[in-house]
Amino acid sequence: MYDVIVVGARCAGAAVALLLARAGRRVLLLDRARFPSDTLSTLYIHQPGLARLQRWGLLGEVLATGAPLLTRLSLSFPGARFTGPAPALGPITGGCAPRRYALDHLLVQAAIRAGVEFRPRTTVADVQWEDGKVTGVRHGTPRGSTTLARAHLVIGADGRNSTVARLVHAPFVRQDPRSTRVYYSYWSGIPDPGVQIYTGHGMGAGCIPTQDGLTLVSVQVSRTIPAHDDRQRTYREMARRSSAELDGQLTEGKQEDRLYCCADLPNFFRRPHGPGWALVGDAAHNKDPTPGRGISDAFIQAEMLAERLDFPLDDTQQADAALSKYAQQLREEFTPAYESTLTTARLDPSEYIQHLVDNQHDPAFAEHLFRSFAGLN
């Protein structure tokens, strides 16, 4: 009998498993993937996310992967550009963008060191119910059999298409239309002035340095622009239209990986708890990747949930009260950024461009803009 079973071992799941194990819980962590392995991601971790890695004693390990600390920031719009140092959060002086095969594996290994039992290549088939409460999961094994694992609490950290959410019938409490499609790949030969973000009309782009001298170059396209069958052509054309500077960098650089594409970018809040279960990370709340908040949000939510679970987990009354408070905190803390993202993801700077143009030489305004980008306002 485990205290907690966590389904999903990426950023949210590995982090909450780590924190619960450090608090003395017996934790089982499941994931259908092998580790280390990659996953779709635009990689960037803002300052609040790095602050949590530092608090957990893992920031040095993340930087040791070779992902540089990104202390310069450039935000470009039609007719306006803001460039300067990234805002600090205490001793954290920038962001970082480690490859996910490195970051996720690092988090899983830290969880294992804390006492977590980890089972990769494990697919959850069903949840176990007793007297209206989830009491465990049935999952497959690498040999093709099925086994039952029991726990006082099952946490779904298995992404926006969460199996746990589906099996417990977690309802959406808010949904908004999808806004964008994203295309990205990894490039060499891109100058490294830090993080570069370009916002145009109906499209945007980002250059984010990562490990091995590579730069992740992403392009987001409004869903109001019809999709083209030739995705590589779309990627390069939209990069060109986003910025002549970016187009020049890509002309001089070399694409080192295949093109990754994703159009399934929903915006929602699910009800994040019920009898014997909870959701965290993208399983609980997902928004368009335009602001690049996914990893930082996963860490924040993992910490929020773990801190609420400071009672005997077999106490049903305390569990319901604690998880209700977690749900309330999640909505209160993440709704403002969610609303802002819905606006940003329209990729229509005409609504605010004159304000940016008028203030592009104001250092205080630039600082406010940089802090907003980092999730510090």
Side-chain angles (χ1 to χ4, degrees):
M1 182 75 172
Y2 297 93
D3 293 310
V4 180
I5 296 172
V6 180
V7 180
R10 299 290 179 180
C11 290
V16 77
L18 165 68
L19 296 173
L20 290 172
R22 286 180 174 178
R25 306 297 190 180
R26 187 179 180 215
V27 181
L28 173 63
L29 179 62
L30 309 175
D31 200 285
R32 62 185 179 184
R34 296 174 182 266
F35 282 71
S37 60
D38 215 347
T39 189
L40 285 171
S41 176
T42 49
L43 306 185
Y44 194 64
I45 309 175
H46 291 276
Q47 288 86 327
L50 293 187
R52 281 157 177 83
L53 287 170
Q54 183 182 57
R55 185 151 63 234
W56 304 338
L58 299 177
L59 181 56
E61 292 183 46
V62 170
L63 296 177
T65 66
L69 188 64
L70 303 172
T71 59
R72 297 289 298 176
L73 182 60
S74 176
L75 306 179
S76 298
F77 307 87
R81 181 169 185 165
F82 302 84
T83 301
L89 177 59
I92 307 298
T93 56
C96 188
R99 295 290 295 268
R100 291 295 297 273
Y101 65 76
L103 175 65
D104 297 352
H105 184 59
L106 185 156
L107 291 168
V108 167
Q109 291 302 306
I112 292 171
R113 292 196 302 270
V116 170
E117 181 182 340
F118 178 49
R119 298 180 189 171
R121 300 176 59 201
T122 298
T123 301
V124 171
D126 205 352
V127 294
Q128 178 79 3
W129 294 90
E130 293 181 14
D131 300 323
K133 178 180 182 294
V134 172
T135 58
V137 300
R138 294 190 178 275
H139 67 80
T141 69
R143 295 183 178 181
S145 60
T146 302
T147 188
L148 172 65
R150 296 172 57 84
H152 296 301
L153 180 67
V154 172
I155 296 176
D158 48 344
R160 63 186 183 277
N161 298 314
S162 168
T163 295
V164 173
R166 174 176 57 81
L167 292 173
V168 301
H169 310 291
F172 291 101
V173 296
R174 177 168 180 178
Q175 286 180 282
D176 289 277
R178 291 165 172 77
S179 299
T180 69
R181 304 184 299 274
V182 65
Y183 308 80
Y184 71 87
S185 191
Y186 295 93
W187 292 71
S188 62
I190 304 296
D192 180 11
V195 176
Q196 304 172 68
I197 304 295
Y198 304 90
T199 301
H201 296 284
M203 68 211 67
C207 291
I208 304 176
T210 183
Q211 293 151 238
D212 304 319
L214 298 178
T215 297
L216 183 148
V217 180
S218 67
V219 171
Q220 282 188 260
V221 182
S222 170
R223 296 176 73 93
T224 61
I225 297 176
H228 195 284
D229 290 340
D230 187 339
R231 293 178 174 180
Q232 184 70 34
R233 175 183 168 188
T234 296
Y235 176 60
R236 288 293 281 112
E237 174 64 17
M238 293 303 171
R240 182 188 66 78
R241 290 171 60 183
S242 294
S243 164
E245 177 186 45
L246 174 59
D247 183 51
Q249 291 181 7
L250 298 189
T251 299
E252 295 296 323
K254 179 183 178 184
Q255 186 174 337
E256 300 284 1
D257 201 350
R258 71 178 180 89
L259 182 65
Y260 298 85
C261 309
C262 186
D264 181 23
L265 302 171
N267 300 286
F268 65 76
F269 285 88
R270 284 191 179 104
R271 185 184 179 203
H273 74 100
W277 62 269
L279 303 175
V280 70
D282 288 348
H285 159 56
N286 195 81
K287 56 182 174 287
D288 191 275
T290 301
R293 299 275 179 86
I295 298 175
S296 295
D297 284 359
F299 291 163
I300 293 168
Q301 289 182 40
E303 193 171 69
M304 284 169 47
L305 179 56
E307 288 176 349
R308 291 290 180 186
L309 301 178
D310 60 346
F311 57 89
L313 294 180
D314 58 352
D315 187 323
T316 302
Q317 187 173 0
Q318 284 197 69
D320 183 64
L323 292 174
S324 294
K325 291 178 180 178
Y326 161 68
Q328 180 180 358
Q329 183 181 8
L330 190 150
R331 287 296 302 273
E332 289 177 352
E333 292 197 14
F334 286 89
T335 293
Y338 181 85
E339 297 282 2
S340 174
T341 297
L342 292 178
T343 298
T344 304
R346 290 202 295 266
L347 297 174
D348 182 11
S350 61
E351 298 181 16
Y352 51 81
I353 190 60
Q354 191 59 51
H355 185 57
L356 295 174
V357 171
D358 291 344
N359 289 278
Q360 65 178 314
H361 301 299
D362 181 349
F365 183 85
E367 174 68 12
H368 176 80
L369 198 63
F370 293 163
R371 291 184 63 82
S372 294
F373 175 79
L376 298 178
N377 284 343

